[in-house]
Amino acid sequence: MSSDERVYLSVGSNIHPRVASIRQALAQLRALPAVTVLATSNWYETEPWGKRDQANFYNVSVALTTTLTPDQLLTALHMIEQQLHRQRDIHWGPRTIDLDIIFWGRRRINTATLQVPHPHAGERNFVLLPTAEIAKDDPLVAPQLAGLIAANQDTSWIKNVGNVSEQDD
């Protein structure tokens, strides 16, 4: 991977303890030897997307570089989700943790297990706005984000809550 190619993740949780789960996921991500976390967005509280009858989410976006392949990074993210007891019972349902690869530089990836850019990124305020916050100076991703934000039809609310603590959960 070229050193100027940044990967962006969306991280979210809506099952208590949301804050602790996201903090643990970020710590595990930073502990991966082949990953360098460059930036983390502010925290956002957001209403559920898709399936509305569930608790609100906390979401953050993460910018990183890695020497892993896309499949290797996806495997590492799934391992973090498993360690934090992610269940995949209900499509768009409640989750202890969700780690999604949103952008990988300008790459277009379309395999049975991974699509990048994330196919629903452009429909989700909770992905677009935190990612835009940390991708402003990325010449490969900022233009993609600008186009998606301009076309975005998502009317769900999103609230920048800065940085949160466990007491906020």
Side-chain angles (χ1 to χ4, degrees), residues 93-113:
R95 55 207 63 195
T96 56
I97 197 70
D98 189 23
L99 294 144
D100 287 330
I101 301 170
I102 306 302
F103 294 102
W104 195 304
R106 261 196 212 105
R107 290 192 200 194
R108 300 284 181 255
I109 302 167
N110 195 352
T111 68
T113 55

Side-chain angles (χ1 to χ4, degrees), residues 49-52 54 86-95 120 124:
W49 187 93
K51 183 173 173 18
R52 302 267 189 199
Q54 57 182 313
R86 164 79 191 265
Q87 303 291 318
R88 294 180 186 271
D89 299 330
I90 302 168
H91 190 55
W92 292 331
R95 55 207 63 195
H120 296 293
R124 297 175 175 173

